[in-house]
Amino acid sequence: MHFSPKPIAAAVLSALVFTPAVAQVAPSAAIVTLPAVSVSGILPDRLESVPGSFAVVDEMELQERQPFSVKEALNTVPGIHIVGEDSFGLGLNIGMRGLDPRRSSRTLLLEDGMPLFLAPYGDPSAHYSTPLDRVRRIEVVKGSGQVLYGPQTIGGMINFVTRPVPTDGVAGSVAATVGNNDFYGLHANVGVGGERGGIMLDALQKRGDGVRDNHDFEVQEYTLKGQLNLAEGHTLIGKLGYYRENSQISETALGAVEWQEDKFQAPTGKNDEFEHERTSLQLQHIFEISDRAKLSTQLYHVNSDRASFRQINDSGENGGRSALERCPGGVDNDDLSNADLCGGRWRPREFTYWGVEPRLDFSHKLFGVESDAVVGLRYHAEDITRKQFRGNTADFQSLSFAKANSLPRELIDIEVEAKSYYAQNTFYLGNWSLTPGLRVEDVEIRTNVKRADGDAHTNPEARLNNRFTEVLPGIGLAWNGFADTTVVAGVHKGFAPPRPDRDIDADGPDTAVVSKTKPEESTNWELGVRSAYFRGVALETTLFNTDFDQIVIQGEPGTFVNGGRSQQTGVELAGRIDFGKVYGTAHNIYLTGAYTNLFTAKFRKDDPDQGISSGNRLPYAPRHLASLSLGYQHPVGVDARIGVDYVSRQFSDGANTRVEDLSGTEGTIPSYTLLNAAVSYTPAGQRYTVFLSGHNLTNRAYLVSRVDGMVAGRERQIFGGVRYTF
C-alpha cells in the first residue's frame, strides 16, 4: 500500500479554483444566483409519481435513531436484510427481497449518483460505503424506476446523498464520539459559500475493536467539495475524496468447536490484515436550459487498492478448530504462541474505473399530454488487477517481502467496457401517471490469466472475452385518487452482469477457463400503496415477486455458483404514527416499524452438483424481518427511543443443510432479536446536541454468517458524543 500525492495536489488545485470565486462575492458582483436544482438525489421532485416502492431515510430520522452504522440506519426500510459481520459496517452485506447479501453485490450502491463498488461490473463488492457522518439522507429505490441506473437492477439501489456546499456564509459542524470496545470517532465539516459558489472540507477519523478479538480497525477519510456558478444557468460541482482503512478484520471465521469455546475469538487475528486505500473524483456540470429542461453531465474516476492477508483459509479443518497452515514442523493447536511462525496468503488487488454520463431531463407535451422525460447514456471502463502471493515463513506476513521474493501464484487482469443507454417518460393523465422506460447495457469483459512457471510468467494461460447486450424494459403506473395516497404497480426486467471470477479457476498453477457465464436476469413485479391520508400517520405496503432465470448463490467458501431458476415473493409493510400530530400536542410519542414476510424464496430447478432440489429455500433469505421502535420527543429538545430488531432463521447453503459440520460452514443460522435504544438532547435555540445510543443492549451472542465458517454478530455497543453545528 502507498500514499498517493494525487489527492493532495488535486485538493490544492480545487482550492485555487474555488477560493477566488468565493472571495469575489460582493454586492457589485452579485450577478449570478445559485440555481435551486437537485444534483445529488436519484428520486424526482414529484414523489407521488414515482412508479414503484421507495424509501427515504432523512436527516431527522438519522438524528432520532443515532445509528452506529449503515446497518442500523436502514433497519426501518422493509425488504432489506443486512448481515453484520463487524462492528463498523466496513464490509457491507446488504440483500434486498431475498437476494444474497454477500458484499452487497446485488444491491447497487451510489453516492450522489456515482457507483461505490470496487468495480461495478467486474467486482461489485462493497468494501466501502459513505460514512453516515457525511450523509444528509439515504434514498432506497426498489421499483421499475431502476432502469435509469445500473448495472445492478434486480433487487434495488441505495443512494447516499451527501451534505451540500454552504450557500450563505460559513457553516459546518464538529462532533466527537466515544464508546466501549475502545471506539472513538472525530468528525469535522466546514464550508463557506455565497452567490458565486462555495467550498467545503470534511475530515473523519474512527477507530476501535471489531466484533472479535484482535479485530482492531482505523478509518480516515477526507473529502473536498466545491460548487461554482460559471454563468447564469451553468453550475459546476466537484468532489474529491481520499479514504484509508487499516484493520485486522479478516474473513477467517471459526470452526464448530472454536465457536463453542469462545464465539469472539480470532486465532489468527493478530496476523491477519486488511488494507484499503481509495481515491475518488466526481465532477458534475448542470446546464439549466430553461425552467422545463436541464442537461447534466457527470464525470467520475475511482481508484482502489485493497490487500488482505490471511494466515489460514479453511475454518475448522482440524477437528472443528482452525489449523494454522504452512508452519514448519506443525503447530500445537492448543497453544498458538508460535503462530507467528506461519506464513499465509496475501491478496493485493487494484481497481480503477471511470465514466462519463450526460443526461437530459425535460418536460414536454409531445403527445398532447403533460410529461416529464429523461434521456441519457453512459460510457464506463474498468481495469482490474488481481494478485496472490503465498509463503510458508513469517516473512510472508509482509506484503513488500512477498512481492520482492516470489512470483504471484495468481495474476489476473480484467478489463471492462460498458455502454449504457436509457430513456424514460412519465405521462400525467389526471390522477394517473404512466412511466415506461428502457435501458440497454452493452458490455464486454476481457480476462487474461497468467500463472507462475519457474522464474517467470508464461504467456497468458487463458484469454477470455465475454460480450453481451441486454435490453431492459420497465413500466410503472401510479394513481393518486385520494389525498396524500398513491397506488403503484410496476414490472421491469432485472439484470446483473456476470462476475469474471466465476469464469476462471485461478487458484494455483492449474489455472484454466471454466466457461463464459451469462448475466443474471429476472422479471420483477410489484403492487403497493403508500399513504399519509390521516394526520400524523404514514403507511406503506408492497407485494412483490421476482422470477430469476439464472440466480447466483454462494458455493464453497469464497466462491459463487449458478443456482438456476428461482422465485422470491413477499410482502413489505412500513409505517409511522406521530401521536403528537394526531392529537395536536407538542409532546410527541411516535411509533415506527417495518416488516417483511418473504413467504416464498425457493429454487425452481434441481442441481445435483450443488445439492439443490427444486423447492429448497434460498440461502441467507430469512422469512421474517421486523423492526419496531417507540419514541418520545419533548418540546425542550429531548428525543428518546427504544426498539427491537428481529431476523428469523436462515439456511446457509442451497442444499438447506440442517446438520452443523465441524468446519462451521454448514448448518442453519438461528433467529435472533436485538434490543436498541437512543436518546439525544438539543436545547431550544442552541446549536449543540448531546447523544447516547446503544445496540444489542442485552449483549446477546448470535450467529450471522457461515460463509467462511461461523461469525458472530456485534456484541453490546454503547456510544455517546456531542455535536456542534454552526
Side-chain angles (χ1 to χ4, degrees), residues 15 30 63 135 157 177 238 254 283 534 545 572 595 664 714 720:
Q63 291 175 355
V135 173
M157 57 186 178
T177 309
L254 301 178
L283 294 174
F534 298 101
N545 181 78
E572 299 169 346
Y595 171 67
R714 187 174 63 224

Side-chain angles (χ1 to χ4, degrees), residues 47 92-93 143 233 257 284 288 673:
L47 293 177
L92 278 182
N93 299 284
V257 174
Q284 294 173 290
E288 290 285 335
T673 303

Side-chain angles (χ1 to χ4, degrees), residues 40-44 47 49-57 74 77-80 94-97 99 106-110 137-150 152-161 424 492 524 526 530 540 542 572:
S40 54
I42 61 177
L43 289 171
L47 293 177
S49 65
V50 175
S53 59
F54 70 89
V56 176
V57 182
L74 292 174
V77 179
I80 290 183
I94 303 176
M96 286 195 183
R97 295 179 170 177
L99 293 176
R106 293 301 173 260
T107 302
L108 180 61
L109 299 182
L110 306 170
R137 73 176 184 272
I138 305 174
E139 301 173 328
V140 181
V141 178
K142 293 174 280 187
S144 60
Q146 293 181 68
V147 298
L148 295 179
Y149 300 89
Q152 310 290 340
T153 60
I154 294 176
M157 57 186 178
I158 299 172
N159 184 42
F160 299 98
V161 181
Q424 179 177 280
H492 74 277
N524 302 56
E526 66 174 13
R530 50 181 181 261
E540 172 192 345
T542 305
E572 299 169 346

Side-chain angles (χ1 to χ4, degrees), residues 241-395:
Y242 173 78
Y243 169 87
R244 184 173 185 127
E245 172 192 346
N246 191 333
S247 71
Q248 293 177 268
I249 303 175
S250 75
E251 295 177 340
T252 303
L254 301 178
V257 174
E258 291 171 316
W259 175 265
Q260 294 300 324
E261 294 172 343
D262 180 1
K263 296 176 176 58
F264 297 102
Q265 66 174 303
T268 63
K270 290 184 178 180
N271 294 329
D272 289 354
E273 290 186 47
F274 183 84
E275 300 175 357
H276 186 191
E277 188 175 37
R278 180 181 188 269
T279 57
S280 61
L281 172 66
Q282 183 179 16
L283 294 174
Q284 294 173 290
H285 175 259
I286 297 92
F287 176 27
E288 290 285 335
I289 303 172
S290 69
D291 59 354
R292 294 176 63 85
K294 178 183 70 176
L295 175 64
S296 58
T297 303
Q298 174 179 231
L299 173 68
Y300 57 85
H301 182 279
V302 178
N303 177 262
S304 296
D305 282 308
R306 55 140 291 191
S308 60
F309 177 79
R310 274 181 159 192
Q311 196 166 66
I312 63 172
N313 298 306
D314 301 318
S315 63
E317 64 180 15
N318 186 21
R321 292 185 175 89
S322 300
L324 298 177
E325 299 177 330
R326 297 171 296 282
C327 299
V331 167
D332 179 357
N333 289 283
D334 293 325
D335 179 11
L336 301 179
S337 60
N338 59 341
D340 60 344
L341 297 177
C342 297
R345 173 187 296 189
W346 272 105
R347 290 188 176 99
R349 298 173 183 176
E350 183 174 0
F351 306 84
T352 300
Y353 65 85
W354 70 275
V356 59
E357 180 177 9
R359 164 175 162 159
L360 179 64
D361 294 70
F362 61 99
S363 300
H364 66 90
K365 292 185 178 180
L366 184 62
F367 304 103
V369 178
E370 186 67 35
S371 303
D372 286 333
V374 180
V375 178
L377 59 92
R378 183 183 70 189
Y379 177 85
H380 177 97
E382 299 176 6
D383 190 357
I384 304 171
T385 300
R386 295 161 44 122
K387 297 180 181 179
Q388 182 183 137
F389 298 90
R390 294 190 190 182
N392 59 3
T393 67
D395 292 330

Side-chain angles (χ1 to χ4, degrees), residues 422-540:
Y422 55 87
Q424 179 177 280
N425 193 87
T426 300
F427 299 95
Y428 301 104
L429 304 165
N431 292 326
W432 298 86
S433 59
L434 178 67
T435 307
L438 181 70
R439 185 179 186 88
V440 178
E441 289 275 359
D442 183 9
V443 183
E444 182 176 9
I445 303 175
R446 298 180 293 271
T447 306
N448 292 332
V449 184
K450 297 181 180 180
R451 64 183 177 90
D453 185 11
D455 295 327
H457 282 92
T458 64
N459 291 326
E461 174 73 12
R463 291 182 178 179
L464 179 64
N465 276 27
N466 198 348
R467 177 76 182 268
F468 54 88
T469 300
E470 291 291 323
V471 179
L472 309 170
I475 187 169
L477 183 68
W479 179 69
N480 298 279
F482 295 104
D484 299 315
T485 300
T486 303
V487 179
V488 297
V491 59
H492 74 277
K493 182 179 179 181
F495 159 81
R499 292 185 58 155
D501 55 2
R502 292 181 3 238
D503 286 332
I504 53 179
D505 177 9
D507 189 17
D510 298 325
T511 299
V513 173
V514 177
S515 64
K516 288 185 180 181
T517 54
K518 297 181 179 180
E520 295 177 76
E521 298 179 2
S522 67
T523 302
N524 302 56
W525 300 80
E526 66 174 13
L527 174 66
V529 180
R530 50 181 181 261
S531 177
Y533 182 84
F534 298 101
R535 185 177 62 181
V537 180
L539 299 172
E540 172 192 345

Side-chain angles (χ1 to χ4, degrees), residues 489-726:
V491 59
H492 74 277
K493 182 179 179 181
F495 159 81
R499 292 185 58 155
D501 55 2
R502 292 181 3 238
D503 286 332
I504 53 179
D505 177 9
D507 189 17
D510 298 325
T511 299
V513 173
V514 177
S515 64
K516 288 185 180 181
T517 54
K518 297 181 179 180
E520 295 177 76
E521 298 179 2
S522 67
T523 302
N524 302 56
W525 300 80
E526 66 174 13
L527 174 66
V529 180
R530 50 181 181 261
S531 177
Y533 182 84
F534 298 101
R535 185 177 62 181
V537 180
L539 299 172
E540 172 192 345
T541 180
T542 305
L543 176 67
F544 63 88
N545 181 78
T546 302
D547 285 314
F548 254 106
D549 288 334
Q550 297 290 340
I551 192 171
V552 170
I553 63 171
Q554 297 172 27
E556 296 295 326
T559 67
F560 297 87
V561 298
N562 197 300
R565 298 180 61 194
S566 69
Q567 178 185 357
Q568 295 111 276
T569 307
V571 62
E572 299 169 346
L573 302 171
R576 176 175 174 128
I577 304 176
D578 287 282
F579 291 97
K581 294 181 180 179
V582 173
Y583 294 104
T585 174
H587 295 266
N588 182 38
I589 297 176
Y590 61 90
L591 185 67
T592 180
Y595 171 67
T596 304
N597 187 337
L598 186 66
F599 46 80
T600 299
K602 64 181 181 181
F603 294 98
R604 299 178 60 189
K605 182 180 179 181
D606 294 335
D607 187 345
D609 292 338
Q610 300 299 326
I612 296 174
S613 299
S614 179
N616 280 11
R617 191 166 182 88
L618 297 176
Y620 295 94
R623 181 184 180 100
H624 302 286
L625 295 168
S627 177
L628 183 66
S629 294
L630 177 66
Y632 171 67
Q633 295 169 326
H634 192 279
V636 300
V638 173
D639 193 321
R641 177 196 62 84
I642 188 169
V644 293
D645 299 320
Y646 172 76
V647 179
S648 66
R649 187 188 69 161
Q650 308 161 59
F651 290 106
S652 62
D653 59 10
N656 288 183
T657 307
R658 290 170 170 80
V659 179
E660 183 175 274
D661 68 345
L662 289 176
S663 73
T665 59
E666 295 183 358
T668 62
I669 298 177
S671 63
Y672 55 88
T673 303
L674 305 178
L675 178 66
N676 312 301
V679 60
S680 64
Y681 175 51
T682 306
Q686 300 299 316
R687 294 180 176 271
Y688 70 89
T689 299
V690 180
F691 56 88
L692 181 67
S693 186
H695 301 276
N696 189 14
L697 292 176
T698 61
N699 204 28
R700 174 171 182 174
Y702 59 103
L703 179 67
V704 295
S705 175
R706 292 182 180 270
V707 172
D708 293 282
M710 305 180 74
V711 177
R714 187 174 63 224
E715 56 190 329
R716 181 190 294 120
Q717 181 67 53
I718 298 175
F719 68 99
V722 60
R723 182 186 303 108
Y724 179 77
T725 304
F726 56 90

